[in-house]
Amino acid sequence: MSSNATQLSQQQFKIVLLGEGCVGKTSLMLRYCQNKFTENHESTLQASFLTKKFIINNTRVQLSIWDTAGQERFHALGPIYYRDSNGALLVYDITDPDSLSKVKSWVKELRKIRGNNVVLAVVGNKTDLLSPQQQSNGADNQIIDEAQKYSQSVNAYHYCTSAKSNRGIDDLFLDLTKKMLAQNQLIQEQTQVKSRSSASAPNQRGLTIAADPPTDEEEGADTRRNKCC
Amino acid sequence: MRSSTKKMSEQIHDFYQTMNIYVTIDPLYRELYQTLFTRIQHEDKDRELALQKRIRSLNWVMVQHLDVDINLRHPQTKNLVTEAIPEVIEMDSKQVPLEKLGCIVNCSKTIFKLLQVNSQEPVSADQFLPALVLIVIKANLPLLQSNIKLITRFSPPSRLMSGEVGYYFTNLCCATAFIENITGDSLNMTEQDFQSYITGEAQPPGAHQQSTFLCEAFRILSSNMAVLSDLNDRQTKFETQMSELTDIVHMFPDDMLKRTHNALKLLSLTV
């Protein structure tokens, strides 16, 4: 991140999108990748696999977002989708407590299979359905409160979005990307440390740099987000 | 000096190109293909046979069992279904993994079109995966398991794990895993019903209707029937309009006479 290299480094990330049928994960994805939200999205053939490219912290990043089938009958197939994923978006509907309990079961599974190699983001969608009062008062909603507490307990990040009014989505993906970059750096450092018996000075420096800023930002980002919903 | 650099660059390009041909459409690989593929087939013969048997026993599975939102009676949908099935079957006839993957991509794209016939909305995975399961069951493609295995072993992992191609391939793996572990519960029915359907003791209601849509002759028959009933409707409409017209024609002289009388009356009054 703090390298002096003139060339941009490249990173590819695979993000799996998990969520029950009506939580709006497709709208979320389309809103982010194509900035579209209409009652019927014309011209787009599919919204199950989309990519987005951008540059962040001198790194060229390509996100590929994999939508997964959320029906209960396909639940057992999750592990096939999770393979090699760097991040996971677990979407629930802030008006539907059942969709949050589904998220919890996915979190357990993801942690079991990918361990700490995956960055989890729990996303409460449809904030536009909250009353204006609730929106200004911050997290007044019981489901959101519960989700926030739960996310903290499983080392996941919590976000609130609205695909309809395009709120919080860009922030969500940007934040997630930063965290995945940090995670990647951390894994790289760890493997380097493992491969070499003694870590050299620049390596250690890289490690601290990679690990520090995101934690600061994460606090800042969280407080900002609390205000938004 | 410059010309020599140019020459060298040409040579390097030539080298890359020929290497490219050798690597992507590798004759060595093609030569080995039969041996490789037969080996893979032998490794998991039992599993392959079990899967094939299972798919065959599931031929009664219908749109509503998987909650797929397609209407097989729609002519365009029917055409796209018949298009998607050979596309995925073609995979077995290709040798190079990349070509096999190409078949999966084609089939997936057709499925997206298929799901968009009725709704204009972009297709999400919630609709795509069940539709793919249905197509895989209807296609019953030969050596599905071995083909998947061959692709997994002889493709670069990055191709299978990321990118659009990887996504479609993963979905095919999911569909196969789903079919292998299918139960009554996953098809919206009781285990008892499921067992009786799978053993062929009974057929789910409406199975006959659906199978007619998948048989070419019956499909032509049904489309002809539709055309005939449409013609019939138009005929009756035409007849009613005819009789209406005759009534009008019959009425016309009387009506005209009445009008002339009225006109004359008015005229006599003014005169």
Side-chain angles (χ1 to χ4, degrees), chain B residues 132-151:
Chain B
L132 182 67
V133 169
L134 192 74
I135 295 290
V136 170
I137 290 177
K138 296 299 171 204
N140 189 11
L141 65 160
L143 306 170
L144 175 60
Q145 197 81 54
S146 309
N147 273 301
I148 288 178
K149 226 176 212 175
L150 185 95
I151 295 172

Side-chain angles (χ1 to χ4, degrees), chain A residues 1-220:
Chain A
M1 276 184 210
S2 62
S3 68
N4 300 323
T6 44
Q7 254 194 336
L8 297 177
S9 56
Q10 278 199 336
Q11 293 266 14
Q12 269 200 357
F13 291 115
K14 170 177 162 184
I15 301 174
V16 285
L17 190 59
L18 298 156
E20 259 194 320
C22 333
V23 297
K25 59 191 163 109
T26 313
S27 306
L28 196 80
M29 184 164 156
L30 276 176
R31 173 61 99 182
Y32 178 62
C33 294
Q34 299 173 350
N35 198 15
K36 271 186 192 159
F37 187 94
T38 37
E39 298 314 320
N40 48 347
H41 324 251
E42 281 161 40
S43 79
T44 336
L45 195 59
Q46 53 102 353
S48 23
F49 175 85
L50 291 174
T51 53
K52 180 101 175 175
K53 289 178 189 169
F54 55 90
I55 295 172
I56 179 173
N57 294 344
N58 282 330
T59 312
R60 209 186 287 273
V61 172
Q62 184 180 349
L63 303 179
S64 9
I65 308 170
W66 291 36
D67 189 11
T68 61
Q71 292 98 319
E72 186 55 44
R73 65 169 69 130
F74 297 122
H75 192 96
L77 304 176
I80 306 178
Y81 284 115
Y82 307 154
R83 249 184 262 159
D84 279 356
S85 56
N86 306 94
L89 288 183
L90 301 126
V91 190
Y92 70 94
D93 179 345
I94 54 158
T95 57
D96 179 9
D98 287 344
S99 64
L100 182 62
S101 58
K102 248 332 220 335
V103 162
K104 291 181 185 172
S105 72
W106 275 313
V107 168
K108 267 184 216 137
E109 228 173 55
L110 270 159
R111 283 278 182 237
K112 208 163 77 190
I113 290 157
R114 297 284 298 147
N116 284 322
N117 292 338
V118 65
V119 180
L120 302 183
V122 177
V123 182
N125 194 27
K126 302 195 184 175
T127 51
D128 51 281
L129 292 181
L130 291 175
S131 65
Q133 277 180 338
Q134 278 176 311
Q135 280 185 34
S136 57
N137 284 352
D140 222 8
N141 187 305
Q142 267 190 356
I143 304 173
I144 296 179
D145 276 348
E146 198 196 327
Q148 256 164 352
K149 273 179 206 144
Y150 174 72
S151 306
Q152 272 178 353
S153 71
V154 291
N155 193 19
Y157 305 100
H158 182 264
Y159 303 89
C160 283
T161 59
S162 162
K164 195 170 183 179
S165 49
N166 194 9
R167 206 168 315 149
I169 293 173
D170 281 342
D171 284 351
L172 154 68
F173 279 94
L174 213 64
D175 228 46
L176 183 66
T177 311
K178 279 181 196 160
K179 274 161 194 151
M180 287 191 297
L181 278 168
Q183 185 83 13
N184 248 11
Q185 191 95 1
L186 204 71
I187 293 168
Q188 260 176 22
E189 300 294 341
Q190 276 171 356
T191 48
Q192 269 176 15
V193 169
K194 261 182 205 167
S195 64
R196 290 180 209 171
S197 51
S198 61
S200 54
N203 263 343
Q204 277 182 337
R205 208 189 76 198
L207 189 113
T208 46
I209 285 167
D212 269 351
T215 43
D216 290 345
E217 266 170 71
E218 157 201 326
E219 278 164 12

Side-chain angles (χ1 to χ4, degrees), chain A residues 45 47 67 70-71 73 81, chain B residues 66 116 120 123 126 167 171 186:
Chain A
L45 195 59
D67 189 11
Q71 292 98 319
R73 65 169 69 130
Y81 284 115
Chain B
L66 290 161
Q116 279 202 316
Q120 289 301 306
V123 179
D126 288 350
Y167 181 73
N171 269 293
S186 46

